[in-house]
């Protein structure tokens, strides 16, 4: 736990190298980036985890799989020309 070696507990969270780390939120449970310090859990990648979840999903979350993107749209005119040519 090299991240929180020189940490100091404050009433607002944990101060590490001039950065104030806020405790993680419920959505962070299960993430590999969560570190524990004096009984509380903090994110090792972002100082204010609650802000990362406001837009829906934290981009640092290791416990949530990215959704598969849908298949690319196919232009029907180009597809018919390819088919007529004997292409893919």
């Amino acid at each position: 736990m090299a991240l929180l070696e020189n940490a100091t507990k404050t009433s607002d969270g944990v101060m590490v190298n001039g950065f104030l780390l806020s405790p993680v939120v419920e959505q962070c449970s299960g993430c590999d980036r969560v570190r524990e310090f004096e009984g509380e859990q903090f994110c090792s990648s972002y100082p204010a985890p609650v802000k990362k979840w406001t837009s829906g999903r934290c981009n640092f979350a290791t416990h949530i799989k990215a959704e598969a993107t849908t298949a690319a749209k196919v232009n029907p005119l180009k597809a018919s020309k390819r088919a007529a040519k004997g292409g893919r």
Side-chain angles (χ1 to χ4, degrees):
M1 263 195 238
L3 170 76
L4 301 176
E5 267 181 18
N6 301 321
T8 309
K9 184 116 176 177
T10 67
S11 59
D12 297 323
V14 171
M15 184 68 71
V16 180
N17 299 329
F19 293 99
L20 181 65
L21 303 181
S22 300
V24 296
V25 292
E26 186 178 330
Q27 294 98 320
C28 296
S29 62
C31 183
D32 293 339
R33 299 177 194 273
V34 174
R35 302 288 181 262
E36 192 165 323
F37 182 76
E38 294 186 11
E40 277 192 275
Q41 294 184 332
F42 300 91
C43 181
S44 64
S45 295
Y46 197 73
V50 70
K51 291 181 182 177
K52 293 304 265 179
W53 291 97
T54 56
S55 63
R57 167 172 133 53
C58 174
N59 60 324
F60 293 128
T62 60
H63 60 296
I64 296 177
K65 301 291 181 211
E67 295 177 15
T69 58
T70 58
K73 264 190 170 177
V74 176
N75 184 335
L77 182 60
K78 287 184 178 182
S80 67
K81 286 182 180 181
R82 268 191 217 121
K85 234 199 278 190
R88 305 179 222 186

